[in-house]
Amino acid sequence: MMPNYFKITLFSLFFIPLSALAAEPTYNFPITVNSPDGSSEQITFPLPFDAIASIAALDLGDDGTSELLFGAPMGSSPQARLLRQDGSTILSWFPYNPKFRGGVAAVAADLNGDKKLEIVTSPLGAGGPHLKIFDTFGKLLSPGFFAPKDVATIASLERVDIEGDGRDELALVATNKKGVLTRYLLTGQGALIESAEEKSIAPKTIALKLSWQGQQFELVWSVQAKIVDRPGKVILVDLSDQKLSYYQDGFSLASYPVSTGRWGFPTPIGEFAVQNKIPRAYSKAYGLYMPYWMAFYRGQYGIHELPEWPSGYKEGENHLGTPVSHGCIRLGVGPAKEVYNWAEVGTTVIVQK
């Protein structure tokens, strides 16, 4: 018989190879249940993504046993998956276009106070501030609503009950269009209650109460692995992967393909800082415009959107992921503006092989 209270620790991930017929890899999340008498039990959850963006508990059968709802992380397709505690899948679906690679946050909430749970989803990163509402079978109940107009990049979504009346509200942490990390408190219908600047991207851990055969235990889960061990804003460019990622207080906000310097025109390697920002810079040397310019080295190397020529021709996005520039770091349409609005003069820029 399981005791009344457990503390569950989520450990690092292990890759489990699939058969040759499998379409995607599976990653098992081992969770150890530690009981007060010192005994332990391990449970694993197979998921098609290598990290977790969100986790929620809900009791579908009202039988005293919680099921677990997972959301895929940034860099993955926006897949939500509902699992039993033995790791078997109840439901798996894509709330948004599977081609989107920003991940998804999924929470279980009682938005109407009717003691029935809905599943609320939000795309992460720059996937657009469109929150959708599903029933616990994955059926779309409502097209949902859009977050406040100044939301730019969503980092996390959670449910809260600020009034204690059984009617849940939603807390959205996102960068606004000025690049300020902000916490938005919304009603279940999407109306803004309040917003305030948020100091950090997410708590290091979340304590989640679960039930098993009517008894309570707790899951302590790391929301998001800290990737860059430094405070503030950091832009990281990886030349080998041709990717730019940006971080707030060590936590990843988004990652995008770039095009860096081709052979003979290397992109400088090292640690730098944003020196200046120009909405639409012009290069006399190459006779082209560079939207959302952010210089980071000698005022001559910068991060910018795909270049444009005076004739109106614009560099194609098919070059992203391939080093073809004259040393600058080129971003696609959309991501360039997003990073430009988020970054400040002085933001750290790290370029590595």
Side-chain angles (χ1 to χ4, degrees):
M1 178 176 176
M2 298 183 77
N4 289 332
Y5 182 81
F6 297 90
K7 188 171 184 180
I8 302 180
T9 305
L10 188 63
F11 290 93
S12 58
L13 311 179
F14 296 90
F15 176 73
I16 307 298
L18 296 180
S19 68
L21 296 177
E24 59 185 11
T26 296
Y27 300 85
N28 266 13
F29 290 76
I31 297 177
T32 300
V33 182
N34 300 314
S35 65
D37 63 6
S39 62
S40 64
E41 177 183 354
Q42 183 165 295
I43 305 171
T44 58
F45 293 93
L47 295 171
F49 28 85
D50 61 359
I52 302 173
S54 66
I55 184 172
L58 57 162
D59 186 353
L60 291 178
D62 197 23
D63 56 2
T65 296
S66 299
E67 288 75 34
L68 294 174
L69 175 65
F70 293 91
M74 292 182 188
S76 303
S77 295
Q79 185 177 20
R81 184 164 289 200
L82 185 61
L83 302 179
R84 300 179 182 89
Q85 288 188 26
D86 63 4
S88 59
T89 298
I90 300 171
L91 178 67
S92 178
W93 82 104
F94 294 93
Y96 305 95
N97 190 328
K99 293 182 179 180
F100 172 60
R101 304 295 294 177
V104 65
V107 299
D110 183 353
L111 302 178
N112 305 311
D114 58 2
K115 301 187 184 300
K116 294 181 180 179
L117 290 175
E118 293 83 32
I119 294 175
V120 184
T121 64
S122 170
L124 300 175
H130 184 193
L131 281 71
K132 294 184 178 181
I133 302 171
F134 299 84
D135 65 14
T136 52
F137 297 98
K139 179 182 178 181
L140 188 66
L141 291 176
S142 162
F145 51 84
F146 287 88
K149 292 181 179 179
D150 65 335
V151 169
T153 304
I154 297 173
S156 67
L157 173 70
E158 62 178 314
R159 73 164 187 87
V160 292
D161 183 1
I162 57 173
E163 300 292 341
D165 58 0
R167 186 190 299 265
D168 290 326
E169 289 78 33
L170 300 169
L172 193 70
V173 175
T175 53
N176 63 22
K177 292 180 179 178
K178 294 182 179 180
V180 178
L181 191 65
T182 305
R183 186 176 189 267
Y184 299 87
L185 186 62
L186 311 174
T187 68
Q189 291 70 46
L192 179 64
I193 300 172
E194 63 181 21
S195 64
E197 185 173 344
E198 186 82 347
K199 293 183 178 179
S200 62
I201 192 65
K204 292 182 180 179
T205 59
I206 283 181
L208 183 67
K209 293 186 181 298
L210 301 178
S211 299
W212 189 84
Q213 294 185 352
Q215 301 180 61
Q216 296 295 312
F217 59 94
E218 186 179 51
L219 184 151
V220 179
W221 166 69
S222 176
V223 176
Q224 192 176 9
K226 222 173 186 181
I227 301 173
V228 176
D229 190 18
R230 64 174 69 197
K233 298 182 177 184
V234 177
I235 296 171
L236 178 64
V237 179
D238 192 305
L239 299 181
S240 60
D241 289 341
Q242 290 291 289
K243 284 187 178 180
L244 179 149
S245 304
Y246 66 98
Y247 304 85
Q248 180 91 30
D249 296 322
F251 295 97
S252 173
L253 286 176
S255 180
Y256 298 110
V258 294
S259 178
T260 60
R262 67 190 188 195
W263 186 86
F265 296 87
T267 299
I269 296 173
E271 183 170 328
F272 313 97
V274 174
Q275 298 170 333
N276 60 55
K277 296 173 63 178
I278 303 174
R280 186 174 169 83
Y282 181 75
S283 170
K284 293 181 180 179
Y286 299 107
L288 49 78
Y289 292 98
M290 301 170 293
Y292 305 112
W293 165 267
M294 294 189 293
F296 66 87
Y297 182 63
R298 294 182 177 177
Q300 299 176 345
Y301 293 85
I303 300 168
H304 61 82
E305 190 178 88
L306 293 165
E308 302 170 354
W309 278 259
S311 65
Y313 173 77
K314 190 172 186 67
E315 181 86 11
E317 297 217 0
N318 59 313
H319 286 167
L320 295 174
T322 304
V324 299
S325 81
H326 293 99
C328 286
I329 299 164
R330 299 175 179 176
L331 276 163
V333 176
K337 181 179 180 180
E338 174 189 322
V339 177
Y340 180 90
N341 287 338
W342 170 83
E344 304 164 347
V345 172
T347 293
T348 299
V349 178
I350 300 173
V351 182
Q352 64 184 26
K353 289 184 178 180

